Amino acid sequence: MMRFMLLFSRQGKLRLQKWFMAIGEREKKKIIRDMTQMVLARKPKTCNFLTWKDLKIVYKRYASLYFCCAMEEGDNELLALEILHRYVELLDKYFGNVCELDIIFNFEKAYFILDEFLMGGEIQETSKLLISKSIEESDMLQETMEEYMSKPAF
């Protein structure tokens, strides 16, 4: 089971964080600092897996963003890499070749897509088609609500 997922830039700026365990804010900040320092300090050709405390850390760099997750020791690292890749594919499908600015300016959509894909640190839906359909329906509902709210009330 995944414990948390972090997205951060090459400069160490946190862009997205999702926690699947109860943890205090102070500890979260320490974990984020430790993760960004550890991952950014690694050479490009090194393995994408490392051990930290009692967790396995799996990360992958896509363009200017690092996608990083922590999982329990008995979990499969390759599955975690596949989860990270699937999330990037979903973001790419929605944004059309996702970039760091898409995450910065549309973070609520990035979180929504993640929530459609993962729940409680485990895969909720494997079908990219179903997830994309759900996101599309959500966008249509939001547009309908905005149109409704913009009409004058008589």
Side-chain angles (χ1 to χ4, degrees):
M1 182 176 116
M2 193 178 297
R3 298 285 188 92
F4 60 82
M5 181 185 279
L6 305 173
L7 271 67
F8 51 89
S9 70
R10 289 184 303 199
Q11 294 76 33
K13 299 264 192 237
L14 186 67
R15 300 300 182 204
L16 184 137
Q17 59 180 315
K18 186 71 174 182
W19 301 87
F20 302 109
M21 59 183 194
I23 191 163
E25 285 302 312
R26 193 177 197 144
E27 183 66 17
K28 283 180 185 178
K29 286 179 181 170
K30 184 181 179 340
I31 290 170
I32 291 166
R33 189 178 59 250
D34 288 352
M35 288 301 105
T36 54
Q37 287 175 352
M38 272 193 324
V39 170
L40 292 174
R42 294 174 66 87
K43 291 185 172 40
K45 300 270 186 206
T46 55
C47 180
N48 292 36
F49 314 136
L50 54 112
T51 304
W52 180 74
K53 295 189 179 181
D54 62 337
L55 300 173
K56 288 183 190 175
I57 306 302
V58 178
Y59 69 93
K60 181 85 171 129
R61 180 179 164 191
Y62 291 92
S64 65
L65 284 174
Y66 284 89
F67 290 70
C68 175
C69 68
M71 48 199 291
E72 294 170 359
E73 215 162 290
D75 290 342
N76 186 335
E77 300 95 336
L78 296 177
L79 179 60
L81 268 181
E82 185 59 34
I83 289 170
L84 295 177
H85 186 70
R86 177 59 56 100
Y87 183 50
V88 171
E89 288 178 327
L90 291 165
L91 292 170
D92 273 346
K93 187 164 176 49
Y94 185 78
F95 292 110
N97 201 13
V98 69
C99 68
E100 188 175 352
L101 290 175
D102 292 321
I103 303 294
I104 292 169
F105 292 114
N106 300 291
F107 64 91
E108 68 285 338
K109 272 298 168 200
Y111 278 110
F112 182 79
I113 293 168
L114 185 60
D115 289 342
E116 288 297 308
F117 177 46
L118 295 176
M119 180 181 282
E122 297 187 7
I123 297 173
Q124 173 176 272
E125 179 57 64
T126 58
S127 169
K128 286 188 281 189
L129 187 65
L130 286 176
I131 294 170
S132 297
K133 187 175 182 220
S134 175
I135 295 162
E136 195 176 297
E137 288 171 355
S138 169
D139 285 348
M140 287 176 25
L141 180 63
Q142 187 175 359
E143 287 173 22
T144 304
M145 286 301 295
E146 287 171 0
E147 287 174 15
Y148 177 76
M149 298 303 280
S150 67
K151 290 182 181 176
F154 290 2

